[in-house]
Amino acid sequence: MKWQPSVPRALAAAAVPAVLLASSLTSASAEEATPPAVSQAVFVLDSDHGSFTTGKQALTGHTAGVKRVATYIGKATDTQLLSAGGQKVIADITLAASPAKNERAAWAASPRFVDVSWPDLGAGRYTVYRDGVRIAATTGHSLRDTGVNAGSEVNYQISGEADGRGHTWGLTATVPTADDTATLASTAQRVEERARRYTKTAVVWRSFIRQKWATVPKQLGSVSGCKYTRGYQYRGDNRGFSSKVTGPSFRASLRGVVYWTKSPYDLFPETGVTRVYRNGTEVDRRKASTRGIDFRTRTRFDGKTRAVHGEIEASDPFCPSGGIRRAGIGAFYDARLARNGDFYVSGKYRQAPDHEMYLYGYTSGSRHSTKTVHQSKMRSLMCLSQPACELGTIGNSGGY
């Protein structure tokens, strides 16, 4: 994608597309109070080597203190039984085996706690959510969560910003009912059986206009180069965030699908109909091109994980399609998807209009689980222009 740096406001104003203009909104995310349920992890993933260490030893790369009791290599996921300091756990190492360090993350669980680890990429802080509730903001790369129940499944999401990109990891931990070897072994089998139920994963990105109507500010007039400016209105999508698979209106949408029992993948690019009104009467309608919307896999099929890349570039159909005045929706992401529902996502986007990203894990027919990766409200009208503002980084944004 051709991202450009910030430019002076006057120049940026000339590039704002008419159809996407609406009142400026400030991004905000309510964060819940942190429950007193986190402490220092004992079983910590050394992301440089993809193996577990104990506590602060993870920072020096030593593996002393962690004993590997057993390793289970399945068709859908990989797990280990570990012990350290009298504690025994089951650990999922599916993402830990990723070829890229930034993708590696893991969990280790006993009936009383879950230790969660992710790579230290240099973020100022990492925010950790459990089942949609923020439980920690830390500069470290691991934590122990004691606010779990034996026999449950717990969803974690970790987000941080480093090297100019957002980084988000998602992990679903299976908490055992006991920590004896037989129970941990049966839990490993349950983790494998659960992962094998998934037949495909769909990645969906949608960009939409929250307002019912959008208008071109009077001060822009004809400098935008758009066909319809003063005196015209554009119909928005008139909705908030929605995790429904189909139905929500949008300006641009990308749905990519990877399958866990076969190699081919699918791409479904779409743009919404842009409707123009004057004095309450529709005067024109047109769809933007989908040529700039793409999804592809970047690794071979193995039935466990797959790396994918997505791009969304959609210009206003009534505005210039090139040059300094070209503007519109833009986003890109790189992701590692795991069959068991775990994931890593990184990327950037223009901070207008509103955006949402979801993962749908299908078990059969229309039956699926849903994970929210990103939700963001429009930051500024100028962000609709390719060079007009700093890009946003894909992350949880409090919308999980």
Side-chain angles (χ1 to χ4, degrees), residues 197-367:
R197 289 199 299 267
Y198 289 100
T199 59
K200 64 181 180 180
T201 297
V203 187
V204 173
W205 178 282
R206 287 188 291 252
S207 300
F208 62 97
I209 297 176
R210 181 174 295 263
Q211 292 79 9
K212 185 176 182 179
W213 297 100
T215 58
V216 179
K218 293 181 179 179
Q219 63 269 29
L220 291 183
S222 61
V223 298
S224 66
C226 300
K227 182 177 181 180
Y228 300 105
T229 56
R230 182 175 297 183
Y232 294 93
Q233 287 184 308
Y234 297 79
R235 183 175 290 278
D237 296 295
N238 192 31
R239 71 172 180 89
F241 298 122
S242 173
S243 61
K244 293 181 179 179
V245 179
T246 61
S249 177
F250 51 80
R251 299 300 86 213
S253 172
L254 169 60
R255 180 164 61 98
V257 183
V258 296
Y259 299 89
W260 299 115
T261 58
K262 57 183 180 180
S263 180
Y265 63 92
D266 286 323
L267 159 67
F268 301 95
E270 293 185 81
T271 55
V273 177
T274 298
R275 292 181 168 87
V276 187
Y277 290 78
R278 187 179 182 89
N279 299 324
T281 301
E282 183 177 315
V283 296
D284 207 345
R285 63 168 63 187
R286 190 180 299 174
K287 269 194 173 187
S289 170
T290 61
R291 287 179 296 180
I293 303 177
D294 189 31
F295 176 88
R296 62 189 65 186
T297 59
R298 289 191 162 175
T299 56
R300 293 183 177 181
F301 169 79
D302 67 4
K304 293 181 182 179
T305 72
R306 202 142 195 206
V308 301
H309 175 78
E311 292 188 8
I312 303 93
E313 277 285 349
S315 299
D316 187 312
F318 295 111
C319 298
S321 59
I324 190 60
R325 292 190 294 184
R326 183 199 180 282
I329 296 166
F332 74 91
Y333 61 80
D334 293 298
R336 169 73 64 167
L337 309 176
R339 186 173 182 175
N340 62 8
D342 295 349
F343 66 89
Y344 162 78
V345 173
S346 178
K348 289 187 174 183
Y349 65 98
R350 296 196 192 105
Q351 298 182 68
D354 289 14
H355 306 285
E356 56 190 9
M357 181 179 184
Y358 307 98
L359 299 181
Y360 303 101
Y362 286 84
T363 53
S364 63
S366 61
R367 293 177 61 86

